[in-house]
Amino acid sequence: MDKDIADKRGAQHLLCEDGYPIEATLYQANAPRGTIIIAPALAATRSFYADFAGYLASQHFDCLTFDYRGTGDSLAKTEPYAVAIEDWGKQDIEAVIRFATERRGGLPEHHPIHLLGHSIGGQLVGLAPSSRDLTRIVHVAASAPYWRRWPFPLNARMLAVSRVLIPYLSAFRDQFPSRRLGLGGVDIPASVSRKWARWMRSPDYLFDPRFGLDLSGYQALEQPLLSWSFSDDDMAPDANVAHLLTHFPNAQVTRRHLDVSNFQKGAVRHAGFFKPRFEKTLWQETIEWLMNAEATIPAQPRHTREPETE
């Protein structure tokens, strides 16, 4: 990473509307032409996205990474594990969008704010009231996980994960051992994993009315949305990705599903998108798509599926 870019990293201490403190990092670019927020996956902290964030800064985008409440450095001193997973969207993503919007007051007039949501980061974006103010949204391996939508035998495995493994390992403890299970780089609050398992047991995931969430924000999202998915991603099969996108009915959705068997850069899976070896391919294509937000070009048709990357 360029030293000038690395030196422009700055810690940000954000306070959510409910008073919970979360930690973020701002990567400042020279002559920024926009801001990109990275909403992390379930058990990932902001440090996981450092290479990608540095690349975005080198492409003249300010970038904001952050840790969800109860994870990484966003641990409140009181009851750090009494965390509701939906608050990662309603409160944490919301606080970062608001911070980016407030910063825009001191930047050039044409300064779009985009959000890239990795896995659960893409699922939760519609819970943030200010998500309608985003210019463009990118999903990376974001889906609505339900065990029946996995092919056999993975469907049986995911049924066991959601009905047995997660509830058992989340019971009577503060933390769920996601790192030890290979589900991410950091443990998460057990209150989060218990609710997540309940969502996964429902065909409609978090969108099931019985969970009582305000889903009006998803209806309000009308901006362009790019959805990346990968044929070797066992965590986000194509059917679950497609189901999630049905809950963004008014967004201008473009799907890019990559058949990794025809890809020369190797495996991608659920988190490989953020590895530097994809700088000239997946990263560059994403930047090019985002830059269209700055041009006066017609929006892409809803729910188009583009040719796979070679």
Side-chain angles (χ1 to χ4, degrees), residues 102-305:
E102 291 166 3
R103 281 189 73 245
R104 185 164 54 185
L107 295 168
E109 181 177 353
H110 182 63
H111 188 92
I113 297 174
H114 311 298
L115 182 138
L116 184 147
H118 179 204
S119 192
I120 204 166
Q123 300 165 13
L124 297 177
V125 61
L127 295 179
S130 294
S131 59
R132 67 191 66 192
D133 298 328
L134 296 166
T135 307
R136 289 196 169 201
I137 297 170
V138 178
H139 284 178
V140 174
S143 68
Y146 175 60
W147 69 274
R148 286 187 184 274
R149 288 192 285 268
W150 266 273
F152 182 82
L154 279 175
N155 56 356
R157 176 184 172 187
M158 294 311 300
L159 175 62
V161 166
S162 62
R163 290 191 176 274
V164 180
L165 181 65
I166 294 178
Y168 174 75
L169 293 178
S170 300
F172 308 111
R173 63 174 72 197
D174 288 331
Q175 284 185 299
F176 176 75
S178 46
R179 180 169 52 181
R180 182 153 47 96
L181 294 172
L183 295 176
V186 65
D187 291 341
I188 61 175
S191 57
V192 165
S193 58
R194 284 193 293 267
K195 178 69 74 67
W196 184 48
R198 287 184 62 204
W199 286 358
M200 286 195 292
R201 294 196 293 269
S202 169
D204 222 14
Y205 192 53
L206 68 89
F207 305 96
D208 190 316
R210 66 186 168 132
F211 296 125
L213 299 178
D214 179 2
L215 304 174
S216 59
Y218 292 90
Q219 299 283 333
L221 296 178
E222 299 181 346
Q223 55 269 77
L225 187 158
L226 170 64
S227 173
W228 279 109
S229 55
F230 311 100
S231 62
D232 63 347
D233 183 359
D234 288 343
M235 294 294 293
D238 191 65
N240 278 335
V241 173
H243 188 83
L244 175 65
L245 292 174
T246 65
H247 293 284
F248 293 77
N250 298 311
Q252 302 164 35
V253 176
T254 295
R255 286 207 59 189
R256 291 187 185 171
H257 181 73
L258 177 62
D259 184 351
V260 176
S261 65
N262 297 325
F263 193 46
Q264 301 301 315
K265 294 295 182 178
V268 182
R269 300 192 177 95
H270 196 59
F273 176 96
F274 300 96
K275 294 183 178 179
R277 70 172 182 268
F278 296 118
E279 176 178 335
K280 300 297 184 183
T281 53
L282 305 180
W283 293 9
Q284 184 174 333
E285 289 183 36
T286 301
I287 285 289
E288 290 171 354
W289 185 85
L290 287 172
M291 286 177 61
N292 284 336
E294 304 169 31
T296 55
I297 61 172
Q300 300 190 42
R302 284 181 169 80
H303 294 278
T304 61
R305 185 157 177 160

